[in-house]
Amino acid sequence: MLELRKSIIETFEFTEKEFESIQGFFKPKKIKKGDYFLQTGQYVNHLGFVENGILREFLYENNKEITKWFSTSGYFAVDLSGFVYGQTSKVNFQALSDVSLLTLSKENYDIIGDRLPRWNKLEKMFLTNCFSVLENRVVSHLSMNAEERYSQLFKSQPELFNQVPLNYLASMLGMTPETLSRIRNKLSKSIS
């Protein structure tokens, strides 16, 4: 709960009192490596906050797995449109390690709006934060070459490179595993 407290208070400018009024709505959930938090076609009735571990968000496109994102400690995991609009998920969230989550049901998410007078502002900040992350990813894919995307991810989340299979990283970065290996080798030689 400590990581959630820090994230909500710092990122969304909650007061300590406001956080205390909603923390009971978050329920702990453990997911074993290889199991799913959410699968394509399931109704999205929970969002998750990763306390520790790694969830891989992916979808199938033309019979191929495409990795969209890795939710690590301090990140939320949710198919946002499915959650907000009560629809089925278009993506899967699979545990790449044992994962500890704090989950919030859609029902409790809506109740929080009744409890906190300024929830609309806080909810707007949450959604803006989600879209900012997405926008940054789109811009990086459009404006950066493969080596620059690799370097940016390595600088922001270096732990992924020791914990996540390279083919998943390559997929998220929009490159083949072979290209990722060439970039890794090139950059490691330039460091030596």
Side-chain angles (χ1 to χ4, degrees):
M1 192 71 73
L2 187 61
E3 194 68 34
L4 179 66
R5 175 186 302 273
K6 178 182 169 191
S7 179
I8 287 181
I9 288 174
E10 289 179 9
T11 305
F12 304 112
E13 301 173 3
F14 268 58
T15 65
E16 191 69 38
K17 185 176 179 180
E18 286 171 326
F19 179 76
E20 287 172 8
S21 74
I22 66 163
Q23 70 182 351
F25 289 117
F26 288 86
K27 305 299 179 200
K29 182 178 180 83
K30 303 275 189 204
I31 301 174
K32 293 200 177 295
K33 180 179 179 177
D35 289 347
Y36 288 83
F37 171 59
L38 182 65
Q39 288 185 276
T40 301
Q42 289 180 326
Y43 277 93
V44 185
N45 52 22
H46 285 84
L47 65 78
F49 179 84
V50 180
E51 289 190 290
N52 60 54
I54 301 172
L55 287 173
R56 176 175 75 114
E57 179 183 357
F58 71 98
L59 55 95
Y60 292 100
E61 189 71 38
N62 298 324
N63 295 322
K64 182 178 170 185
E65 280 187 14
I66 298 174
T67 300
K68 285 183 60 185
W69 186 255
F70 299 101
S71 293
T72 57
S73 179
Y75 282 92
F76 285 92
V78 64
D79 178 329
L80 193 55
S81 62
F83 185 75
V84 171
Y85 298 115
Q87 299 172 343
T88 59
S89 180
K90 296 177 213 73
V91 297
N92 302 282
F93 282 91
Q94 185 180 31
L96 296 183
S97 63
D98 289 346
V99 175
S100 295
L101 293 170
L102 292 169
T103 64
L104 178 66
S105 70
K106 175 66 168 133
E107 180 183 345
N108 284 338
Y109 180 89
D110 293 337
I111 289 171
I112 290 172
D114 297 333
R115 287 229 175 144
L116 293 177
R118 60 186 201 108
W119 177 247
N120 288 339
K121 180 182 177 192
L122 301 171
E123 182 180 39
K124 183 177 177 181
M125 289 173 69
F126 172 72
L127 295 173
T128 301
N129 190 45
C130 292
F131 284 115
S132 292
V133 169
L134 177 62
E135 185 176 58
N136 290 337
R137 290 223 29 242
V138 169
V139 168
S140 74
H141 270 65
L142 295 174
S143 65
M144 294 179 174
N145 64 37
E147 191 172 310
E148 291 168 331
R149 290 192 308 270
Y150 174 95
S151 294
Q152 182 184 50
L153 181 63
F154 189 80
K155 285 176 189 167
S156 65
Q157 292 183 288
E159 71 281 359
L160 291 179
F161 290 81
N162 294 325
Q163 300 174 8
V164 172
L166 292 182
N167 60 318
Y168 295 160
L169 288 170
S171 175
M172 188 182 106
L173 290 168
M175 62 182 77
T176 65
E178 295 78 18
T179 299
L180 186 132
S181 291
R182 277 195 301 276
I183 291 170
R184 266 183 91 153
N185 289 336
K186 178 184 174 187
L187 293 177
S188 67
K189 287 177 185 174
S190 69
I191 294 172
S192 303

